[in-house]
Amino acid sequence: DSGVTQTPKHLITATGQRVTLRCSPRSGDLSVYWYQQSLDQGLQFLIQYYNGEERAKGNILERFSAQQFPDLHSELNLSSLELGDSALYFCASSVAAGANYGYTFGSGTRLTVV
Amino acid sequence: GQQVMQIPQYQHVQEGEDFTTYCNSSTTLSNIQWYKQRPGGHPVFLIQLVKSGEVKKQKRLTFQFGEAKKNSSLHITATQTTDVGTYFCAGPRGNEKLTFGTGTRLTIIP
């Protein structure tokens, strides 16, 4: 157990639907990062939050949004889902903002859009 | 923008052979991190290198950071079946987040 909790582990949904992925960071970590990993692909950065505020944005689609709540858990909302959105979505956390600290990853949510 | 490339993309080795993966950045990095992702698993932080020319060892794994801080390598001596997985390097893009390399998938032939 890495200390980063992601739910659900698996999600199967139809095209056009909306889903919410949830992440609880490791205790004491203030930064949360969301990454997308498609089949046999690398890790694509989506968005970062630090202590409730958005800090950095990657190539995140307009159909996707995220937020971090006062208790530091984060949610990634994916809407108008397309087949190409099928992927593993990882949440990671680190103790502070910035890329000078190692990330702790959760076990991911596997999204299948049918 | 900054890109982090890794070679090779795939590597198949006999158990007991050595393995090396190389990481190259288009820009100078303040630090480089390495992660391992087992099949079906999530990335796990292995190590961070900060200084130019730095070398760190973890048992059979040796990590190097280039003098120009634009490249890095991971060398595994005498591979074992437990070494199977994809190895990613990652470097900062801007100040806020890590850009992950393309990864090297290691397969061990028993």
Side-chain angles (χ1 to χ4, degrees), chain B residues 4-52:
Chain B
V4 181
M5 303 300 294
Q6 279 184 255
I7 55 171
Q9 188 175 359
Y10 300 95
Q11 186 77 58
H12 309 278
V13 300
Q14 291 277 351
E15 187 176 6
E17 290 182 343
D18 292 357
F19 159 77
T20 304
T21 174
Y22 300 91
C23 178
N24 294 289
S25 169
S26 56
T27 59
T28 300
L29 301 170
S30 60
N31 74 88
I32 189 105
Q33 300 179 22
W34 285 91
Y35 292 77
K36 176 183 178 181
Q37 184 176 18
R38 293 181 182 272
H42 58 276
V44 174
F45 174 76
L46 295 177
I47 206 161
Q48 181 186 47
L49 304 172
V50 179
K51 299 176 183 177
S52 169

Side-chain angles (χ1 to χ4, degrees), chain B residues 34-97:
Chain B
W34 285 91
Y35 292 77
K36 176 183 178 181
Q37 184 176 18
R38 293 181 182 272
H42 58 276
V44 174
F45 174 76
L46 295 177
I47 206 161
Q48 181 186 47
L49 304 172
V50 179
K51 299 176 183 177
S52 169
E54 188 170 14
V55 178
K56 286 189 176 180
K57 291 189 176 184
Q58 290 180 349
K59 298 182 180 179
R60 295 177 294 103
L61 277 61
T62 302
F63 304 84
Q64 292 189 335
F65 201 8
E67 295 289 341
K69 301 183 75 173
K70 295 177 70 173
N71 57 73
S72 181
S73 65
L74 158 59
H75 179 82
I76 302 178
T77 304
T79 54
Q80 300 175 358
T81 55
T82 53
D83 296 324
V84 165
T86 301
Y87 292 85
F88 292 98
C89 63
R93 180 169 185 173
N95 293 323
E96 299 296 338
K97 63 173 182 358

Side-chain angles (χ1 to χ4, degrees), chain A residues 4-30:
Chain A
V4 177
T5 304
Q6 285 189 251
T7 57
K9 292 193 183 305
H10 303 277
L11 202 48
I12 301 175
T13 190
T15 54
Q17 295 298 305
R18 172 190 170 94
V19 297
T20 297
L21 312 184
R22 182 187 169 102
C23 169
S24 293
R26 192 178 59 163
S27 177
D29 286 356
L30 299 178

Side-chain angles (χ1 to χ4, degrees), chain A:
Chain A
D1 182 8
S2 67
V4 177
T5 304
Q6 285 189 251
T7 57
K9 292 193 183 305
H10 303 277
L11 202 48
I12 301 175
T13 190
T15 54
Q17 295 298 305
R18 172 190 170 94
V19 297
T20 297
L21 312 184
R22 182 187 169 102
C23 169
S24 293
R26 192 178 59 163
S27 177
D29 286 356
L30 299 178
S31 273
V32 169
Y33 310 82
W34 287 96
Y35 283 82
Q36 180 192 56
Q37 186 175 45
S38 300
L39 189 63
D40 290 338
Q41 296 295 309
L43 293 153
Q44 301 301 316
F45 172 73
L46 295 177
I47 198 163
Q48 179 207 359
Y49 283 85
Y50 173 74
N51 205 20
E53 293 187 2
E54 181 184 306
R55 290 295 289 258
K57 226 171 185 178
N59 295 325
I60 187 168
L61 300 172
E62 286 190 9
R63 300 184 285 109
F64 296 2
S65 65
Q67 54 184 328
Q68 186 179 30
F69 294 86
D71 68 351
L72 300 179
H73 91 270
S74 178
E75 293 181 356
L76 179 66
N77 300 297
L78 314 176
S79 62
S80 302
L81 285 168
E82 302 175 358
L83 296 178
D85 297 327
S86 296
L88 260 174
Y89 291 84
F90 285 109
C91 166
S93 71
S94 66
V95 64
N100 295 317
Y101 306 90
Y103 290 3
T104 301
F105 280 81
S107 56
T109 293
R110 182 173 296 279
L111 173 66
T112 303
V113 182
V114 297

